Amino acid sequence: MEQVRIFDTTLRDGEQAPGFSMDLDQKVRMAKALLELKVDVIEAGFPVASPGDFAAVKAIATEAADMHDTFICGLARANEKDINAVAESIAPAARKRIHTFIATSPIHREHKLRMSKQEVLEKAVAAVRQAKDMADEVEFSAEDAIRTERDYLVQVFGAAIEAGATTINVPDTVGYTTPQEIEDLFRYLIANTPGAEKAVFSAHCHDDLGMAVANSLAAVRGGARQVECALNGIGERAGNCALEEVVMAINTRADFFQLTTQIDTTKLYNASRLLSRLTGQDVPRNKAIVGDNAFAHESGIHQDGMLKNLQTYEIMRPADVGAPTSLLVLGKHSGRNALADRARELGHNLSGERLNEVFEAFKQLADSKKNVTNDDLKSLILGHAMNASGPWRVAGLKTGAERDGHATAHVTLTHQNGTVHTHEARGNGPLDAAFSSIKEIVGLDVHLEDFSVKSIGTGIDAQGWADVHLLDNSSENEMVVGGEDSVDRRPRIHGSGVHTDIVFASVIAYLDAMNRIVRNRAQQS
């Protein structure tokens, strides 16, 4: 069957959405999962946007230096500076793509660009010509294509293909279209664009009206052979087309679409959960494909049908997407091999030092819980995979309550240089006091913007997963713009921690965010 390319923009369109930012280490970790997922293209970022974005794209390109199944791509506006930045950042990759774009709709031409049709056309052609000699492939996007005149799209796309574009993207930038409309548009463009047979047509749909996946699938029916999407559907505003949903729709209904993808669907669940942990944003329970309820059945009628034949109420098997179906029963007497074997069943290959670290954490957890579940083990694995390394680690924590309702926290931290630091602080509660002690020891001026703790599993001995988001008050490269339209541009740093003691989990999360700030500054210096 003919293949549909999967263009993943989790690390570009997805990551730039409020609440989903990741630092360099987190982006590389996510990129590794995307490579394991076998996406066709990873849009790793917008290199000209910031030194951090440039560094992240280059690090991901380096990670893919020997990967010949996946293109590493960077986004560029239709200008020389942007395109040069992309070319430089993706240079280490085995397969390189430059994605350049310019808006084409009347509202964008008039109010944003203040350019004529001819000027937009000339900018598009010049950008593609520059990019074609700097990468293996060039993708051209007409921003807000859905609200652009059809005859003008044909003109711009034909010129871009003639200039060297190998992929033509038709974005529904504001999530405005409908399935029937976009299918008809793709049929029209492919039939009327000069040189259409030389390029792959691509769909990039946003979810403002809740139809991103439906519109993407309709575009495929209309001839699109690339879909631009993001894990968990993250992205600007209401998000993008959800990668896991569009892939499993094509996979499950191959009889209807008569198409396939190269995605390893058994990696979808773990990739989704990794993204959730990295960003601190939960996957809704009722989320299609990867939500906790996707393969759960409570209705007695449904349960009866499932006992007789699983296909009565499941059109996919949990194993098809890598979702767990059984409880893990391991205890303090279990060994490394048992742990590694069960982790492998859950889609994580542990070995060497990483296995030792997770095993040590597992033994500590097993001492405080009767049974360790699948969710517990996944949290341990993901926690060790994504927590920032050094320079600070928690060595001790003691909290106490005072008669006036306040609390004290005595915190001991170790530094990677071997020194030990302690501080005791007083606060409105144990967390307030502990966070104050950490701030004093580490010496960073930060503001706690957001904090949450959630349970992993059920029962009184369930672990707690803590997430914090800190604002770096002392960033030298950012500023706060005052006035009625003030925009807070302080870096927002995420940290996470797991422990059966929710206070200790919160301290780990707070210090994890602190470590990220320290590492970010070291990388920038």
Side-chain angles (χ1 to χ4, degrees):
M1 286 189 287
E2 193 176 356
Q3 181 177 307
V4 175
R5 296 180 183 178
I6 299 300
F7 177 109
D8 180 88
T9 189
T10 303
L11 297 173
R12 200 277 299 169
D13 197 331
E15 192 267 343
Q16 71 188 29
F20 291 93
S21 60
M22 290 176 268
D23 64 22
L24 187 148
D25 291 333
Q26 292 169 319
K27 286 186 179 182
V28 171
R29 176 74 184 101
M30 194 67 242
K32 289 180 180 179
L34 294 172
L35 289 169
E36 292 176 1
L37 200 56
K38 297 183 180 178
V39 300
D40 296 272
V41 184
I42 295 176
E43 188 170 47
F46 192 1
V48 82
S50 70
D53 228 32
F54 181 94
V57 175
K58 190 167 186 177
I60 292 167
T62 301
E63 191 69 34
D66 298 319
M67 306 293 290
H68 294 275
D69 293 329
T70 302
F71 281 90
I72 303 302
C73 175
L75 184 68
R77 291 165 297 187
N79 66 57
E80 187 175 345
K81 180 181 177 182
D82 282 30
I83 293 169
N84 285 337
V86 173
E88 184 179 351
S89 63
I90 65 174
R95 305 185 78 185
K96 297 173 273 289
R97 178 185 290 192
I98 294 175
H99 180 191
T100 185
F101 74 96
I102 191 168
T104 55
S105 68
I107 192 169
H108 279 249
R109 294 194 310 261
E110 179 181 350
H111 296 284
K112 186 179 77 171
L113 299 179
R114 296 180 181 178
M115 296 171 62
S116 68
K117 285 184 175 181
Q118 185 60 32
E119 288 172 323
V120 169
L121 178 63
E122 290 172 358
K123 289 277 286 187
V125 169
V128 173
R129 284 177 177 166
Q130 179 191 350
K132 73 173 182 177
D133 295 325
M134 307 173 81
D136 301 306
E137 289 189 354
V138 176
E139 175 170 341
F140 172 75
S141 287
E143 186 184 6
D144 204 24
I146 296 301
R147 296 190 294 176
T148 300
E149 306 93 330
R150 287 191 173 190
D151 58 344
Y152 184 54
L153 278 181
V154 165
Q155 183 183 5
V156 173
F157 287 155
I161 293 171
E162 184 179 6
T166 51
T167 299
I168 295 296
N169 186 36
V170 187
D172 183 15
T173 304
V174 292
Y176 182 72
T177 195
T178 66
Q180 183 176 353
E181 181 181 49
I182 197 170
E183 179 178 348
D184 182 66
L185 175 61
F186 269 85
R187 293 189 187 280
Y188 174 85
L189 292 174
I190 293 171
N192 291 280
T193 300
E197 70 283 355
K198 301 176 184 176
V200 172
F201 277 71
S202 174
H204 180 119
C205 297
H206 279 264
D207 208 35
D208 297 72
L209 293 177
M211 295 188 285
V213 173
N215 286 335
S216 297
L217 291 169
V220 167
R221 291 278 292 170
R225 288 300 176 263
Q226 176 177 282
V227 174
E228 307 199 355
C229 43
L231 278 168
N232 298 344
I234 71 172
E236 291 280 9
R237 302 180 314 281
N240 284 288
C241 170
L243 182 151
E244 63 279 359
E245 294 179 25
V246 76
V247 166
M248 289 310 295
I250 292 172
N251 181 287
T252 306
R253 293 305 312 275
D255 61 317
F256 177 77
F257 290 103
Q258 293 295 304
L259 296 165
T260 187
T261 73
Q262 73 168 9
I263 298 296
D264 181 351
T265 64
T266 64
K267 300 289 198 306
L268 285 170
Y269 183 87
N270 282 333
S272 166
R273 283 305 185 273
L274 175 63
L275 177 63
S276 174
R277 297 310 188 196
L278 290 175
T279 60
Q281 304 292 332
D282 286 343
V283 176
R285 294 189 67 87
N286 65 333
K287 172 77 173 64
I289 314 301
V290 292
D292 287 339
N293 289 354
F295 298 98
H297 307 273
E298 185 171 340
S299 163
I301 295 174
H302 287 208
Q303 290 175 347
D304 179 65
M306 290 288 292
L307 290 172
K308 294 172 179 174
N309 187 319
L310 296 178
Q311 293 183 341
T312 55
Y313 288 102
E314 284 189 352
I315 60 172
M316 299 167 283
R317 298 174 304 168
D320 292 339
V321 300
T325 57
S326 62
L327 288 177
L328 169 68
V329 183
L330 286 178
K332 62 183 179 181
H333 300 296
S334 301
R336 277 181 176 79
N337 289 338
L339 175 68
D341 183 67
R342 189 53 180 162
R344 195 174 302 112
E345 291 180 20
L346 296 174
H348 299 278
N349 293 316
L350 302 180
S351 61
E353 186 59 31
R354 190 175 177 214
L355 173 59
N356 291 336
E357 290 176 356
V358 174
F359 182 69
E360 182 181 346
F362 162 74
K363 296 293 278 188
Q364 293 175 3
L365 177 61
D367 281 335
S368 60
K369 296 193 62 168
K370 182 180 294 185
N371 293 322
V372 179
T373 66
N374 279 347
D375 285 338
D376 289 325
L377 183 54
K378 285 184 293 181
S379 296
L380 289 178
I381 295 170
L382 291 173
H384 279 273
M386 70 191 192
N387 284 141
S389 59
W392 297 98
R393 284 287 178 266
V394 181
L397 171 66
K398 293 180 181 179
T399 60
E402 297 184 347
R403 291 184 178 179
D404 63 358
H406 286 79
T408 59
H410 185 90
V411 177
T412 302
L413 303 181
T414 58
H415 194 274
Q416 63 186 12
N417 62 14
T419 58
V420 179
H421 304 258
T422 63
H423 189 269
E424 183 171 289
R426 188 170 182 266
N428 292 325
L431 290 180
D432 184 36
F435 292 167
S436 295
S437 291
I438 294 174
K439 282 180 67 174
E440 185 66 28
I441 294 172
V442 178
L444 292 178
D445 182 15
V446 298
H447 171 70
L448 178 62
E449 183 192 41
D450 185 48
F451 167 74
S452 65
V453 178
K454 46 189 172 284
S455 172
I456 300 172
T458 59
I460 195 170
D461 61 352
Q463 292 189 97
W465 184 289
D467 286 298
V468 303
H469 286 92
L470 301 181
L471 294 177
D472 184 0
N473 292 330
S474 55
S475 171
E476 297 178 357
N477 298 320
E478 301 289 340
M479 60 179 292
V480 177
V481 180
E484 293 183 0
D485 298 323
S486 62
V487 177
D488 194 343
R489 300 189 183 279
R490 290 173 293 178
R492 189 173 189 263
I493 309 299
H494 170 248
S496 61
V498 183
H499 201 272
T500 51
D501 181 334
I502 62 172
V503 174
F504 201 83
S506 303
V507 166
I508 295 172
Y510 192 87
L511 189 61
D512 182 41
M514 288 286 215
N515 277 328
R516 294 192 187 283
I517 295 174
V518 173
R519 287 170 59 85
N520 288 345
R521 291 185 182 180
Q523 291 167 353
Q524 292 171 5
S525 62

